Amino acid sequence: MIGYIINRIKSSIVVLFVVSVITFVVLMIIPGNPAQLILGTEATPEMVEDLHTAMGLNRPFYEQYFDWLFDFVKLDMGISYLYGESVTDLIFNALPVTLSVSVFSMVIATLMAFVFGIISAIKKDSLIDYFSRSIMQLGTAIPSFWIGMVFVVYLGLRMKLFPISGFVSPEDNFLEFIRSITLPSVVLAIGEIGLLLRIVRSSMLESLKQDYMDMARVKGLSTSKIYIKYALRGALIAPLTIIGMQFAKLVGGTVVVETVFALPGIGRLVLTAVEHRDIVLLQGLVMFITTFVIVITLAVDVIIMFINPRIKSFQRGEQ
Amino acid sequence: MKKLIALLMVFSLLLSFTACNKYNDISENEQPTNPSAEAKTELTMAYTVDPEGLDPHRTAAASTFSVTNNIYDTLVGVTPEWEIIPRLAKSWKISEDGMSITFALREDVYFHNDRQMKASDVEYSFNRLKDAESPKARDYANIINVEVLDDFNIKFSTETLDVELLKNFAYPWTAIVPEEAVDNLKTNPVGTGAFILKEWVPQQHIILERNDNYYGDKAKLETVKLVLIPDATSMMAGLQVGDLDIIPLTGDQVTMIESNDDYKVLSKPMNAVQIMSINTDNEILANEKVRQAIALAINKDEVIEASMFGYGDKIGSHLPPTSPDYYDTNDTMEYNLERARDLLKEAGYENGFEIKMSLPKNYQLHVDAGQVIADQLSKIGINVKIELIEWGTWVSEVYGAKKFETTVVGHTGRLDSYDFLSRYYSDSQDYISLKTGEVDDLLNQALQELDVAKRTELYQEIQIILANKLPAVYLQTPHTLLGLNKNVEGMEIFPIDIYDYKTVYFTE
């Protein structure tokens, strides 16, 4: 397994390299000159040219890229020219916000999806099955910004149950921290729950059809043991993969919820970097999110190998 | 399964507990206030875009200046009524030929690092402002000599006569900074202003703290917390639950606030113009009659209603009505569809034509206005194809590279008319200009004319030409709209993009 992980790390480095080249090339091609953007609508072409030179942006592409790459290897992602702060600091300040919301929302989504998914598979075509399938449809269909607005107005403004915006660090006040991330997490969870519930339900149904389930029943095992030890274990692989993917997606994709709830997370930072053509910040963020996705995918694969020995032996054979 | 249910119960208990906690907070807050209690001294205001760093010499962003104006000072200031007043300079003297200006500085000014401010700091700051890296360098190119006469007197000399020179010292980018602190000004500003930066957490908040060592009238507020809230609904909700004392408003939100006695609205015309820029390099749009037909077909009242919910003033030239040099040209091209159709016919476009309109999608005000205009122009057979583009692309492609046919955008925040109008020089290389050269001489004369009344006449002449020749269609001066808690006093709107928290206070 160690060999497999090492191979995956090697290929991840190649992926990161390719991503960094693509990001740099794309940023060079797309319209939007950072110097022009800083100077705004009062600038003359000469002023733009002067600032462009002063920012070092008219150097050859490869020179700018390799300078950046060597610094990155030394874990120096540069200074954001929007904020004037180190990109690493900006990312690590925004990360706890996004991680808190993403983790909390995945916990909510996973709990709901497993509870309703398992029950609706066991009680197929019952009332509870119809109910959970409706949740599935709603969760997928309703846009998260709309749910966010509804929550802000009813739970935040009218009922005053939760703060409307902002993030409180857990070190400052743990209860306020929980309150500040509850609404955004629930909104995000609603967006993720549909897909996850569907996967849990269908995996569980698939698992219940297997021959070993009949065998377990014949052996006279208790119902709960049959469902949890045999059916659920077999049905875990697909949902786990999806949870990993959803979690990785959330870390880079919480822009809407972070905007509605004024949360200073990674998603908003990406948006700001794009809007201001802050190339240094954007490059750092893209590399960070790519690394994060790779690590999560790897972690999920390792977990799945532990759960299902058949996959482990298959991957060993592959090597 | 039992564990799972237990976990869910713990979670819901936690939620209800936190909710109860909030209710307790609310009931405590709602207890009758003691009439003799002192007024609040901590202000919280919302803002929508983070500053581009806090170094006033290294950005052109209004989001930066609205904060830095409270941390740094300039030599002179401007009142909401456009009057130039002393700030770091206690007095000034302009030479008889108008080619130099000498400022006498206050002697009781200290930077936030406790060092006394002297004329050498002013000299250093202006040299830094004229650096290649400074976005505003070109505006100060006419100043060719900065001479320190003694510790508290400094003289600026210009290459050519600029009668509006004094106003150039009131802009927030002319802030005076100490040389020893410039390396970190973007994140650790050190000025002489009425407030000191306590904390800036990008994407979250900025906290300003009163400077007790301030030379002038000290601020009444102890702290000003600026909270970044990009979403308008959340911001409004924040004001209503009492988390925020002041918020920027959009036109549609004004009615919600106006009907409630707990809040008040501050509404004042911006020192800005919203225009529909026309690229006269385009074969069709180069035709003056076509431009006039377009102007006649646009109902500006509808544009103002749709984009600002009526909170805007109609304009007919590139100067806002707030400007002392404003001349009302609204009747030159008043809405008249018949005349518009006739002019289009005379221009040879009886059957209309198709043009593209590139709108900056980050600015809803301009997008809304553009959409109404497109609809209005269709009535005279002009088919407008709208293209929504992201601001970064707009600035580079439309403004920088002039690759556009028409667009809607705003121009803002200058104190003198020359700055507003100089883009119409035929050789200005601006994205809009009057290439026939009709205003060149008038602009040159205005810059040299020492007599204020004569200068105003020259600017009037220019405005009349613009209203007829229409290198752009002039739409409106939108209003700045702020929603305030009823107990907030002293907040004012200035002709440049600044806020001044020094004068703000709570009445209870």
Side-chain angles (χ1 to χ4, degrees):
Chain A
M1 195 171 75
I2 301 287
Y4 168 71
I5 294 174
I6 291 173
N7 272 346
R8 284 286 298 268
I9 292 173
K10 278 190 214 158
S11 63
S12 305
I13 292 171
V14 176
V15 170
L16 279 175
F17 177 74
V18 173
V19 166
S20 72
V21 175
I22 292 173
T23 322
F24 241 87
V25 171
V26 167
L27 285 172
M28 291 289 149
I29 294 171
I30 55 165
N33 175 349
Q36 177 90 61
L37 209 58
I38 289 172
L39 294 169
T41 53
E42 304 301 319
T44 61
E46 295 83 23
M47 285 161 71
V48 176
E49 190 50 43
D50 287 351
L51 186 63
H52 203 252
T53 311
M55 289 168 82
L57 292 170
N58 61 347
R59 292 182 303 149
F61 161 70
Y62 62 87
E63 211 177 293
Q64 291 183 51
Y65 174 71
F66 283 111
D67 276 358
W68 174 85
L69 190 67
F70 290 131
D71 285 342
F72 182 76
V73 172
K74 290 182 270 170
L75 291 180
D76 172 7
M77 290 198 260
I79 303 288
S80 147
Y81 41 70
L82 173 62
Y83 292 112
E85 274 199 44
S86 134
V87 169
T88 319
D89 286 354
L90 285 168
I91 291 178
F92 283 99
N93 285 340
L95 191 60
V97 180
T98 305
L99 274 187
S100 311
V101 176
S102 306
V103 169
F104 204 26
S105 71
M106 283 317 297
V107 169
I108 298 169
T110 310
L111 279 178
M112 296 278 287
F114 271 90
V115 170
F116 287 102
I118 291 168
I119 297 173
S120 74
I122 294 170
K123 309 263 180 205
K124 191 166 175 269
D125 293 329
S126 68
L127 198 63
I128 194 155
D129 187 26
Y130 289 123
F131 174 69
S132 46
R133 274 149 76 180
S134 309
I135 296 182
M136 231 151 65
Q137 300 280 352
L138 280 175
T140 322
I142 304 175
S144 55
F145 76 88
W146 186 81
I147 303 176
M149 298 279 191
V150 171
F151 280 9
V152 163
V153 172
Y154 287 95
L155 297 178
L157 182 59
R158 299 231 172 131
M159 299 171 71
K160 298 189 168 69
L161 287 174
F162 298 98
I164 288 156
S165 59
F167 176 78
V168 178
S169 154
E171 295 118 56
D172 293 345
N173 186 333
F174 188 74
L175 273 182
E176 284 301 315
F177 159 71
I178 296 286
R179 289 184 65 225
S180 72
I181 62 166
T182 301
L183 282 193
S185 303
V186 171
V187 169
L188 279 181
I190 292 172
E192 302 304 327
I193 209 162
L195 176 67
L196 197 55
L197 209 159
R198 186 190 314 221
I199 302 286
V200 172
R201 184 178 174 275
S202 58
S203 301
M204 196 67 187
L205 281 174
E206 190 60 34
S207 195
L208 289 171
K209 276 191 226 153
Q210 298 299 317
D211 294 343
Y212 58 79
M213 291 302 296
D214 294 334
M215 181 70 88
R217 281 191 196 99
V218 170
K219 273 186 166 180
L221 294 174
S222 70
T223 319
S224 59
K225 202 166 184 183
I226 291 172
Y227 287 139
I228 294 173
K229 192 168 177 191
Y230 294 96
L232 184 58
R233 189 169 176 172
L236 269 180
I237 311 295
L240 270 185
T241 316
I242 296 294
I243 290 170
M245 283 164 60
Q246 284 180 316
F247 181 64
K249 184 191 85 182
L250 284 183
V251 170
T254 52
V255 181
V256 173
V257 164
E258 286 179 356
T259 302
V260 171
F261 291 98
L263 295 173
I266 295 284
R268 275 258 307 288
L269 203 54
V270 172
L271 187 70
T272 313
V274 172
E275 278 177 352
H276 289 86
R277 295 289 188 272
D278 192 338
I279 296 174
V280 184
L281 179 57
L282 194 55
Q283 185 72 12
L285 281 162
V286 170
M287 293 302 279
F288 171 77
I289 293 168
T290 313
T291 314
F292 193 84
V293 172
I294 289 171
V295 171
I296 292 290
T297 319
L298 181 62
V300 170
D301 285 353
V302 172
I303 293 169
I304 288 171
M305 279 201 304
F306 273 111
I307 291 172
N308 195 332
R310 282 182 300 170
I311 293 178
K312 195 170 5 181
S313 57
F314 168 72
Q315 268 157 350
R316 277 192 191 130
E318 202 179 42
Q319 289 160 37
Chain B
M1 184 62 78
K2 276 179 188 165
K3 280 184 185 166
L4 200 73
I5 293 167
L7 244 171
L8 277 173
M9 285 178 69
V10 168
F11 178 66
S12 36
L13 264 174
L14 194 67
L15 284 188
S16 48
F17 174 68
T18 52
C20 293
N21 199 36
K22 178 68 183 173
Y23 274 131
N24 291 341
D25 289 348
I26 292 161
S27 55
E28 275 167 27
N29 291 341
E30 281 173 355
Q31 280 167 8
T33 46
N34 180 356
S36 64
E38 284 188 16
K40 204 172 132 185
T41 53
E42 290 164 345
L43 179 94
T44 310
M45 179 174 174
Y47 67 105
T48 49
V49 187
D50 247 341
E52 287 184 6
L54 296 171
D55 184 341
H57 297 160
R58 292 292 178 264
T59 182
S63 55
T64 294
F65 300 131
S66 60
V67 180
T68 56
N69 179 59
N70 295 282
I71 301 173
Y72 305 93
D73 283 303
T74 45
L75 290 179
V76 295
V78 63
T79 66
E81 288 74 38
W82 293 69
E83 193 193 340
I84 298 292
I85 50 163
R87 211 169 166 188
L88 289 175
K90 55 186 178 191
S91 62
W92 53 87
K93 197 171 172 238
I94 298 169
S95 65
E96 272 181 29
D97 61 359
M99 302 284 280
S100 68
I101 182 165
T102 305
F103 291 99
L105 306 176
R106 294 179 68 114
E107 294 171 22
D108 53 353
V109 181
Y110 288 83
F111 286 111
H112 297 159
N113 60 9
D114 293 331
R115 184 173 69 70
Q116 191 178 18
M117 188 212 71
K118 292 190 173 161
S120 53
D121 295 307
V122 178
E123 181 194 26
Y124 174 78
S125 299
F126 273 86
N127 286 335
R128 187 168 184 261
L129 178 65
K130 285 157 68 61
D131 267 2
E133 276 182 65
S134 168
K136 298 289 178 186
R138 217 179 128 90
D139 289 2
Y140 296 84
N142 194 29
I143 296 175
I144 48 164
N145 192 28
V146 184
E147 189 186 346
V148 174
L149 303 176
D150 57 46
D151 273 356
F152 299 102
N153 282 288
I154 189 160
K155 183 177 163 187
F156 292 82
S157 308
T158 59
E159 187 175 18
T160 56
L161 180 65
D162 175 358
V163 292
E164 305 275 21
L165 185 64
L166 179 64
K167 289 174 182 166
N168 283 319
F169 293 94
Y171 291 117
W173 47 83
T174 60
I176 306 306
V177 301
E179 184 174 0
E180 64 272 19
V182 293
D183 289 343
N184 301 313
L185 285 186
K186 249 186 154 176
T187 48
N188 291 313
V190 178
T192 57
F195 288 91
I196 299 170
L197 178 77
K198 188 182 173 198
E199 185 180 58
W200 177 25
V201 184
Q203 297 197 90
Q204 206 164 345
H205 63 247
I206 296 165
I207 300 175
L208 303 174
E209 206 171 40
R210 179 168 61 201
N211 174 12
D212 286 321
N213 198 21
Y214 188 60
Y215 59 85
D217 292 337
K218 286 175 191 54
K220 294 179 179 85
L221 297 169
E222 271 175 50
T223 58
V224 176
K225 184 175 184 183
L226 304 167
V227 188
L228 180 66
I229 302 180
D231 181 72
T233 314
S234 306
M235 211 184 273
M236 179 60 107
L239 180 74
Q240 287 172 304
V241 293
D243 290 348
L244 300 166
D245 300 306
I246 307 177
I247 62 165
L249 290 178
T250 51
D252 55 330
Q253 292 175 323
V254 173
T255 40
M256 289 168 68
I257 296 245
E258 269 181 340
S259 55
N260 192 326
D261 290 341
D262 291 337
Y263 315 108
K264 56 188 175 189
V265 175
L266 195 57
S267 161
K268 198 171 170 181
M270 285 180 201
N271 175 26
V273 289
Q274 184 192 45
I275 65 173
M276 172 183 160
S277 309
I278 294 174
N279 191 346
T280 51
D281 287 338
N282 178 288
E283 198 192 336
I284 304 170
L285 300 172
N287 189 321
E288 195 176 299
K289 285 182 177 162
V290 170
R291 298 200 299 272
Q292 288 172 341
I294 290 175
L296 289 165
I298 295 174
N299 182 340
K300 293 177 193 172
D301 292 322
E302 272 180 26
V303 174
I304 295 168
E305 196 53 47
S307 58
M308 284 300 295
F309 287 79
Y311 293 94
D313 298 329
K314 245 192 308 191
I315 51 166
S317 76
H318 200 107
L319 279 189
T322 45
S323 162
D325 295 317
Y326 176 75
Y327 179 71
D328 192 351
T329 45
N330 274 318
D331 56 359
T332 313
M333 291 290 156
E334 252 179 324
Y335 178 60
N336 186 334
L337 279 183
E338 274 313 300
R339 219 178 124 208
R341 286 195 191 99
D342 290 347
L343 273 172
L344 217 51
K345 196 173 171 184
E346 280 174 40
Y349 294 100
E350 200 176 349
N351 300 320
F353 55 84
E354 188 176 283
I355 49 164
K356 201 161 77 179
M357 185 183 276
S358 314
L359 299 174
K361 76 170 172 195
N362 309 43
Y363 292 90
Q364 199 56 43
L365 164 68
H366 305 318
V367 173
D368 290 345
Q371 283 169 341
V372 175
I373 291 171
D375 179 53
Q376 292 173 344
L377 293 185
S378 69
K379 291 175 190 158
I380 57 166
I382 300 176
N383 179 21
V384 180
K385 274 179 71 183
I386 287 180
E387 168 192 60
L388 289 180
I389 48 180
E390 192 252 331
W391 180 241
T393 312
W394 189 95
V395 171
S396 293
E397 295 294 293
V398 176
Y399 188 81
K402 304 169 189 69
K403 288 182 194 156
F404 76 107
E405 289 173 2
T406 62
T407 183
V408 177
V409 77
H411 291 280
T412 171
R414 305 310 295 248
L415 286 173
D416 72 72
S417 310
Y418 181 80
D419 277 337
F420 266 116
L421 299 172
S422 61
R423 61 173 74 238
Y424 291 100
Y425 269 117
S426 51
D427 60 354
S428 69
Q429 300 295 311
D430 198 83
Y431 82 124
I432 38 164
S433 56
L434 193 59
K435 288 178 184 152
T436 46
E438 276 143 295
V439 294
D440 292 359
D441 275 353
L442 293 166
L443 281 167
N444 287 336
Q445 284 176 46
L447 198 59
Q448 306 281 315
E449 181 56 68
L450 286 162
D451 185 319
V452 178
K454 281 187 185 156
R455 201 156 69 227
T456 301
E457 270 175 40
L458 290 166
Y459 288 136
Q460 280 183 8
E461 249 181 275
I462 294 171
Q463 290 177 76
I464 292 167
I465 294 172
L466 292 182
N468 283 291
K469 299 285 172 185
L470 294 160
V473 179
Y474 305 97
L475 303 169
Q476 63 165 324
T477 283
H479 287 200
T480 297
L481 299 166
L482 292 179
L484 300 92
N485 258 319
K486 65 167 183 205
N487 57 353
V488 180
E489 290 292 337
M491 189 71 181
E492 291 191 283
I493 301 202
F494 292 85
I496 48 179
D497 294 320
I498 55 167
Y499 289 124
D500 187 354
Y501 300 113
K502 198 166 63 237
T503 54
V504 181
Y505 60 97
F506 287 93
T507 50
E508 56 190 60

